[in-house]
């Protein structure tokens, strides 16, 4: 077995516990395994954006003005719920 010869041969550790020696094998494993903050931010952006756009579109069709806000609030609530389901349980 060979001995480490320099700083680049030593295992490097990250304060979060992520090891630079372990590489995710897929995009899904990268997003959901190594960096959960990325998926949390994606949920927080995608939920309100999707349902806000849906509410805006229905507002345009019906001539109303409140469904955009309803869509944004529903999307944010749904995002928090999905984050809680995925990461909040122990």
């Amino acid at each position: 077995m060979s001995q480490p010869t320099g700083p680049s041969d030593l295992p490097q550790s990250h304060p979060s516990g992520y090891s630079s020696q372990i590489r995710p094998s897929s995009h899904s494993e990268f997003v959901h395994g190594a960096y959960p903050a990325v998926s949390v931010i994606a949920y927080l952006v995608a939920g309100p954006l999707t349902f806000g756009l849906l509410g805006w579109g229905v507002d345009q069709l019906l001539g109303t003005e409140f469904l955009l806000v309803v869509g944004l609030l529903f999307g944010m609530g749904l995002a928090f719920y999905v984050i809680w389901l995925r990461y909040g349980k122990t």
Side-chain angles (χ1 to χ4, degrees), residues 41-73:
I41 292 170
Y43 287 130
L44 290 174
V45 170
L49 182 66
T50 302
F51 286 99
L53 285 174
L54 186 62
W56 177 80
V58 175
D59 270 341
Q60 297 299 309
L61 288 173
L62 300 178
T64 59
E65 297 179 354
F66 67 93
L67 292 175
L68 169 64
V69 175
V70 170
L72 289 170
L73 293 175

Side-chain angles (χ1 to χ4, degrees), residues 17-18 22 24 26 33 61 80 84:
Y18 177 74
I22 300 171
S26 69
L61 288 173
F80 282 130
W84 177 75

